[in-house]
mmCIF file of all heavy atoms in Angstrom:
data_model
loop_
_atom_site.group_PDB
_atom_site.id
_atom_site.type_symbol
_atom_site.label_atom_id
_atom_site.label_comp_id
_atom_site.label_asym_id
_atom_site.label_seq_id
_atom_site.Cartn_x
_atom_site.Cartn_y
_atom_site.Cartn_z
ATOM 1 N N ILE D 39 0.529 -7.510 5.459
ATOM 2 C CA ILE D 39 0.407 -6.038 5.390
ATOM 3 C C ILE D 39 0.031 -5.595 3.973
ATOM 4 O O ILE D 39 0.804 -4.941 3.265
ATOM 5 C CB ILE D 39 1.665 -5.297 5.913
ATOM 6 C CG1 ILE D 39 2.177 -5.962 7.209
ATOM 7 C CG2 ILE D 39 1.342 -3.814 6.161
ATOM 8 C CD1 ILE D 39 3.335 -5.256 7.873
ATOM 9 N N ALA D 40 -1.158 -5.994 3.569
ATOM 10 C CA ALA D 40 -1.739 -5.575 2.276
ATOM 11 C C ALA D 40 -0.945 -6.074 1.070
ATOM 12 O O ALA D 40 -1.002 -5.483 0.000
ATOM 13 C CB ALA D 40 -1.889 -4.053 2.216
ATOM 14 N N VAL D 41 -0.210 -7.155 1.264
ATOM 15 C CA VAL D 41 0.616 -7.678 0.166
ATOM 16 C C VAL D 41 -0.073 -8.831 -0.569
ATOM 17 O O VAL D 41 -0.160 -8.828 -1.798
ATOM 18 C CB VAL D 41 2.003 -8.108 0.701
ATOM 19 C CG1 VAL D 41 2.742 -8.952 -0.328
ATOM 20 C CG2 VAL D 41 2.817 -6.873 1.075
ATOM 21 N N ASN D 94 11.937 -3.073 -6.623
ATOM 22 C CA ASN D 94 11.683 -4.266 -5.798
ATOM 23 C C ASN D 94 10.933 -4.037 -4.513
ATOM 24 O O ASN D 94 10.628 -4.981 -3.809
ATOM 25 C CB ASN D 94 13.023 -4.926 -5.449
ATOM 26 C CG ASN D 94 13.905 -5.031 -6.661
ATOM 27 O OD1 ASN D 94 13.680 -5.887 -7.511
ATOM 28 N ND2 ASN D 94 14.864 -4.144 -6.777
ATOM 29 N N SER D 95 10.683 -2.795 -4.175
ATOM 30 C CA SER D 95 10.018 -2.536 -2.899
ATOM 31 C C SER D 95 9.352 -1.172 -2.955
ATOM 32 O O SER D 95 9.571 -0.388 -3.897
ATOM 33 C CB SER D 95 11.038 -2.554 -1.757
ATOM 34 O OG SER D 95 11.882 -1.421 -1.856
ATOM 35 N N GLY D 96 8.576 -0.901 -1.917
ATOM 36 C CA GLY D 96 7.869 0.363 -1.859
ATOM 37 C C GLY D 96 8.794 1.550 -1.679
ATOM 38 O O GLY D 96 8.696 2.556 -2.396
ATOM 39 N N ALA D 97 9.704 1.439 -0.722
ATOM 40 C CA ALA D 97 10.624 2.552 -0.470
ATOM 41 C C ALA D 97 11.411 2.897 -1.728
ATOM 42 O O ALA D 97 11.621 4.066 -2.051
ATOM 43 C CB ALA D 97 11.571 2.195 0.672
ATOM 44 N N GLU D 98 11.805 1.856 -2.443
ATOM 45 C CA GLU D 98 12.580 2.076 -3.667
ATOM 46 C C GLU D 98 11.722 2.780 -4.728
ATOM 47 O O GLU D 98 12.232 3.620 -5.488
ATOM 48 C CB GLU D 98 13.073 0.719 -4.180
ATOM 49 C CG GLU D 98 14.220 0.802 -5.150
ATOM 50 C CD GLU D 98 14.563 -0.559 -5.765
ATOM 51 O OE1 GLU D 98 14.015 -1.595 -5.329
ATOM 52 O OE2 GLU D 98 15.374 -0.575 -6.696
ATOM 53 N N ALA D 99 10.436 2.470 -4.745
ATOM 54 C CA ALA D 99 9.528 3.127 -5.699
ATOM 55 C C ALA D 99 9.358 4.603 -5.337
ATOM 56 O O ALA D 99 9.362 5.475 -6.216
ATOM 57 C CB ALA D 99 8.181 2.406 -5.731
ATOM 58 N N VAL D 100 9.221 4.902 -4.034
ATOM 59 C CA VAL D 100 9.059 6.304 -3.619
ATOM 60 C C VAL D 100 10.345 7.078 -3.908
ATOM 61 O O VAL D 100 10.304 8.202 -4.429
ATOM 62 C CB VAL D 100 8.669 6.410 -2.125
ATOM 63 C CG1 VAL D 100 8.641 7.870 -1.686
ATOM 64 C CG2 VAL D 100 7.301 5.776 -1.878
ATOM 65 N N ALA D 128 2.253 10.499 7.420
ATOM 66 C CA ALA D 128 2.597 9.712 6.227
ATOM 67 C C ALA D 128 3.567 8.589 6.564
ATOM 68 O O ALA D 128 4.278 8.631 7.574
ATOM 69 C CB ALA D 128 3.224 10.627 5.173
ATOM 70 N N PHE D 129 3.580 7.588 5.705
ATOM 71 C CA PHE D 129 4.627 6.562 5.736
ATOM 72 C C PHE D 129 5.028 6.272 4.298
ATOM 73 O O PHE D 129 4.174 5.980 3.465
ATOM 74 C CB PHE D 129 4.148 5.276 6.413
ATOM 75 C CG PHE D 129 5.238 4.235 6.474
ATOM 76 C CD1 PHE D 129 6.230 4.308 7.439
ATOM 77 C CD2 PHE D 129 5.286 3.202 5.547
ATOM 78 C CE1 PHE D 129 7.264 3.363 7.475
ATOM 79 C CE2 PHE D 129 6.308 2.256 5.584
ATOM 80 C CZ PHE D 129 7.296 2.338 6.553
ATOM 81 N N HIS D 130 6.327 6.387 4.023
ATOM 82 C CA HIS D 130 6.778 6.174 2.647
ATOM 83 C C HIS D 130 7.920 5.166 2.559
ATOM 84 O O HIS D 130 8.503 5.013 1.481
ATOM 85 C CB HIS D 130 7.205 7.505 2.020
ATOM 86 C CG HIS D 130 6.094 8.507 1.923
ATOM 87 N ND1 HIS D 130 4.955 8.270 1.169
ATOM 88 C CD2 HIS D 130 5.917 9.724 2.493
ATOM 89 C CE1 HIS D 130 4.143 9.325 1.264
ATOM 90 N NE2 HIS D 130 4.688 10.212 2.062
ATOM 91 N N GLY D 131 8.261 4.500 3.668
ATOM 92 C CA GLY D 131 9.320 3.506 3.615
ATOM 93 C C GLY D 131 10.410 3.809 4.628
ATOM 94 O O GLY D 131 10.331 4.778 5.378
ATOM 95 N N ARG D 132 11.451 2.950 4.646
ATOM 96 C CA ARG D 132 12.454 2.997 5.708
ATOM 97 C C ARG D 132 13.846 3.405 5.238
ATOM 98 O O ARG D 132 14.810 3.262 5.997
ATOM 99 C CB ARG D 132 12.539 1.614 6.367
ATOM 100 C CG ARG D 132 11.267 1.213 7.091
ATOM 101 C CD ARG D 132 11.099 1.988 8.371
ATOM 102 N NE ARG D 132 10.170 1.293 9.256
ATOM 103 C CZ ARG D 132 10.245 1.326 10.581
ATOM 104 N NH1 ARG D 132 11.172 2.042 11.175
ATOM 105 N NH2 ARG D 132 9.361 0.684 11.315
ATOM 106 N N THR D 133 13.990 3.849 4.002
ATOM 107 C CA THR D 133 15.298 4.383 3.611
ATOM 108 C C THR D 133 15.442 5.764 4.232
ATOM 109 O O THR D 133 14.450 6.378 4.659
ATOM 110 C CB THR D 133 15.422 4.505 2.082
ATOM 111 O OG1 THR D 133 14.432 5.424 1.623
ATOM 112 C CG2 THR D 133 15.223 3.161 1.399
ATOM 113 N N THR D 136 13.160 8.306 2.333
ATOM 114 C CA THR D 136 11.712 8.141 2.491
ATOM 115 C C THR D 136 11.296 8.412 3.941
ATOM 116 O O THR D 136 10.198 8.911 4.187
ATOM 117 C CB THR D 136 11.242 6.745 2.037
ATOM 118 O OG1 THR D 136 11.991 5.739 2.723
ATOM 119 C CG2 THR D 136 11.420 6.567 0.534
ATOM 120 N N GLU D 181 -0.199 9.985 0.261
ATOM 121 C CA GLU D 181 -0.936 8.712 0.177
ATOM 122 C C GLU D 181 -2.433 9.047 0.108
ATOM 123 O O GLU D 181 -2.941 9.660 1.059
ATOM 124 C CB GLU D 181 -0.736 7.873 1.442
ATOM 125 C CG GLU D 181 0.642 7.344 1.705
ATOM 126 C CD GLU D 181 0.824 7.057 3.208
ATOM 127 O OE1 GLU D 181 0.449 5.969 3.659
ATOM 128 O OE2 GLU D 181 1.328 7.941 3.925
ATOM 129 N N ILE D 183 -4.870 7.211 0.709
ATOM 130 C CA ILE D 183 -5.358 6.677 1.983
ATOM 131 C C ILE D 183 -4.124 6.304 2.795
ATOM 132 O O ILE D 183 -3.358 5.431 2.394
ATOM 133 C CB ILE D 183 -6.240 5.427 1.804
ATOM 134 C CG1 ILE D 183 -7.382 5.686 0.823
ATOM 135 C CG2 ILE D 183 -6.795 4.963 3.162
ATOM 136 C CD1 ILE D 183 -8.156 4.432 0.441
ATOM 137 N N GLN D 184 -3.927 6.987 3.919
ATOM 138 C CA GLN D 184 -2.766 6.657 4.751
ATOM 139 C C GLN D 184 -2.983 5.310 5.423
ATOM 140 O O GLN D 184 -4.040 5.073 6.023
ATOM 141 C CB GLN D 184 -2.547 7.734 5.816
ATOM 142 C CG GLN D 184 -2.067 9.053 5.233
ATOM 143 C CD GLN D 184 -1.636 10.035 6.309
ATOM 144 O OE1 GLN D 184 -1.992 9.884 7.491
ATOM 145 N NE2 GLN D 184 -0.868 11.039 5.916
ATOM 146 N N GLY D 185 -1.974 4.434 5.324
ATOM 147 C CA GLY D 185 -2.079 3.106 5.920
ATOM 148 C C GLY D 185 -1.508 3.070 7.328
ATOM 149 O O GLY D 185 -2.241 3.007 8.314
ATOM 150 N N GLU D 186 -0.167 3.163 7.427
ATOM 151 C CA GLU D 186 0.496 3.131 8.738
ATOM 152 C C GLU D 186 -0.035 4.242 9.642
ATOM 153 O O GLU D 186 -0.083 4.092 10.864
ATOM 154 C CB GLU D 186 2.008 3.326 8.587
ATOM 155 C CG GLU D 186 2.693 2.415 7.583
ATOM 156 C CD GLU D 186 2.766 0.979 8.018
ATOM 157 O OE1 GLU D 186 3.065 0.737 9.193
ATOM 158 O OE2 GLU D 186 2.513 0.099 7.180
ATOM 159 N N ASP D 214 1.547 8.026 -3.404
ATOM 160 C CA ASP D 214 2.080 6.777 -2.887
ATOM 161 C C ASP D 214 0.889 5.843 -2.693
ATOM 162 O O ASP D 214 0.141 5.971 -1.723
ATOM 163 C CB ASP D 214 2.823 7.037 -1.563
ATOM 164 C CG ASP D 214 3.350 5.743 -0.930
ATOM 165 O OD1 ASP D 214 2.921 4.655 -1.359
ATOM 166 O OD2 ASP D 214 4.178 5.834 0.001
ATOM 167 N N GLU D 215 0.693 4.954 -3.671
ATOM 168 C CA GLU D 215 -0.414 3.979 -3.597
ATOM 169 C C GLU D 215 0.136 2.590 -3.305
ATOM 170 O O GLU D 215 -0.425 1.575 -3.727
ATOM 171 C CB GLU D 215 -1.253 4.009 -4.889
ATOM 172 C CG GLU D 215 -2.027 5.306 -5.067
ATOM 173 C CD GLU D 215 -3.498 5.080 -5.455
ATOM 174 O OE1 GLU D 215 -4.003 3.946 -5.306
ATOM 175 O OE2 GLU D 215 -4.125 6.054 -5.907
ATOM 176 N N ILE D 216 1.231 2.555 -2.585
ATOM 177 C CA ILE D 216 1.866 1.272 -2.284
ATOM 178 C C ILE D 216 0.919 0.384 -1.475
ATOM 179 O O ILE D 216 0.829 -0.815 -1.717
ATOM 180 C CB ILE D 216 3.200 1.520 -1.551
ATOM 181 C CG1 ILE D 216 4.202 2.116 -2.549
ATOM 182 C CG2 ILE D 216 3.732 0.260 -0.902
ATOM 183 C CD1 ILE D 216 5.412 2.764 -1.911
ATOM 184 N N GLN D 217 0.193 0.996 -0.550
ATOM 185 C CA GLN D 217 -0.737 0.202 0.272
ATOM 186 C C GLN D 217 -2.176 0.286 -0.255
ATOM 187 O O GLN D 217 -2.893 -0.697 -0.283
ATOM 188 C CB GLN D 217 -0.684 0.680 1.732
ATOM 189 C CG GLN D 217 -1.417 -0.236 2.681
ATOM 190 C CD GLN D 217 -1.013 -0.060 4.143
ATOM 191 O OE1 GLN D 217 -1.766 -0.335 5.036
ATOM 192 N NE2 GLN D 217 0.211 0.374 4.403
ATOM 193 N N CYS D 218 -2.604 1.470 -0.684
ATOM 194 C CA CYS D 218 -4.023 1.644 -1.043
ATOM 195 C C CYS D 218 -4.313 1.291 -2.498
ATOM 196 O O CYS D 218 -5.476 1.230 -2.895
ATOM 197 C CB CYS D 218 -4.487 3.065 -0.729
ATOM 198 S SG CYS D 218 -3.646 4.356 -1.681
ATOM 199 N N ALA D 240 3.721 5.627 -6.967
ATOM 200 C CA ALA D 240 4.542 4.514 -6.475
ATOM 201 C C ALA D 240 3.636 3.347 -6.123
ATOM 202 O O ALA D 240 2.620 3.515 -5.448
ATOM 203 C CB ALA D 240 5.334 4.944 -5.241
ATOM 204 N N ALA D 242 3.724 -1.043 -4.962
ATOM 205 C CA ALA D 242 4.511 -2.206 -4.520
ATOM 206 C C ALA D 242 3.507 -3.205 -3.930
ATOM 207 O O ALA D 242 2.577 -3.600 -4.625
ATOM 208 C CB ALA D 242 5.592 -1.825 -3.520
ATOM 209 N N LYS D 243 3.674 -3.540 -2.659
ATOM 210 C CA LYS D 243 2.781 -4.447 -1.921
ATOM 211 C C LYS D 243 1.912 -5.366 -2.795
ATOM 212 O O LYS D 243 2.370 -6.405 -3.215
ATOM 213 C CB LYS D 243 1.953 -3.645 -0.919
ATOM 214 C CG LYS D 243 2.853 -3.049 0.192
ATOM 215 C CD LYS D 243 2.102 -2.670 1.444
ATOM 216 C CE LYS D 243 3.071 -2.441 2.598
ATOM 217 N NZ LYS D 243 3.404 -1.046 2.844
ATOM 218 N N ILE D 251 8.110 -6.828 -5.469
ATOM 219 C CA ILE D 251 8.159 -5.987 -6.665
ATOM 220 C C ILE D 251 7.692 -4.586 -6.286
ATOM 221 O O ILE D 251 6.842 -4.429 -5.411
ATOM 222 C CB ILE D 251 7.269 -6.554 -7.810
ATOM 223 C CG1 ILE D 251 7.264 -5.613 -9.020
ATOM 224 C CG2 ILE D 251 5.851 -6.823 -7.345
ATOM 225 C CD1 ILE D 251 6.517 -6.159 -10.233
ATOM 226 N N GLY D 252 8.268 -3.594 -6.933
ATOM 227 C CA GLY D 252 7.781 -2.222 -6.822
ATOM 228 C C GLY D 252 7.704 -1.647 -8.220
ATOM 229 O O GLY D 252 8.311 -2.184 -9.154
ATOM 230 N N MET D 330 -9.611 -1.841 2.762
ATOM 231 C CA MET D 330 -8.559 -1.186 3.544
ATOM 232 C C MET D 330 -9.288 -0.492 4.672
ATOM 233 O O MET D 330 -9.654 0.671 4.580
ATOM 234 C CB MET D 330 -7.822 -0.179 2.674
ATOM 235 C CG MET D 330 -6.657 0.494 3.359
ATOM 236 S SD MET D 330 -5.666 1.402 2.152
ATOM 237 C CE MET D 330 -4.395 2.061 3.233
ATOM 238 N N ARG D 362 -5.825 -2.317 11.601
ATOM 239 C CA ARG D 362 -6.081 -2.414 10.167
ATOM 240 C C ARG D 362 -6.639 -3.780 9.798
ATOM 241 O O ARG D 362 -6.080 -4.804 10.192
ATOM 242 C CB ARG D 362 -4.775 -2.201 9.388
ATOM 243 C CG ARG D 362 -4.425 -0.759 9.170
ATOM 244 C CD ARG D 362 -3.122 -0.624 8.411
ATOM 245 N NE ARG D 362 -1.969 -0.833 9.279
ATOM 246 C CZ ARG D 362 -0.709 -0.801 8.858
ATOM 247 N NH1 ARG D 362 -0.447 -0.611 7.576
ATOM 248 N NH2 ARG D 362 0.284 -0.968 9.702
HETATM 249 C C1 PLP J 1 4.645 -0.316 2.947
HETATM 250 C C2 PLP J 1 4.663 1.066 2.438
HETATM 251 C C3 PLP J 1 5.824 1.665 1.958
HETATM 252 C C4 PLP J 1 7.169 0.986 2.009
HETATM 253 O O1 PLP J 1 7.218 -0.204 1.285
HETATM 254 P P1 PLP J 1 8.451 -1.215 1.511
HETATM 255 O O2 PLP J 1 8.212 -2.268 0.477
HETATM 256 O O3 PLP J 1 8.388 -1.693 2.904
HETATM 257 O O4 PLP J 1 9.687 -0.433 1.246
HETATM 258 C C5 PLP J 1 5.741 2.940 1.452
HETATM 259 N N1 PLP J 1 4.586 3.602 1.414
HETATM 260 C C6 PLP J 1 3.431 3.067 1.866
HETATM 261 C C7 PLP J 1 2.161 3.837 1.775
HETATM 262 C C8 PLP J 1 3.438 1.782 2.408
HETATM 263 O O5 PLP J 1 2.307 1.263 2.898
#
Side-chain angles (χ1 to χ4, degrees):
I39 317 185
V41 166
N94 314 284
S95 70
E98 199 187 352
V100 174
F129 181 79
H130 298 298
R132 295 287 200 148
T133 62
T136 54
E181 294 157 85
I183 307 171
Q184 290 189 342
E186 309 290 317
D214 177 346
E215 292 227 15
I216 289 164
Q217 190 161 154
C218 64
K243 293 200 165 98
I251 176 175
M330 184 169 180
R362 277 179 281 178

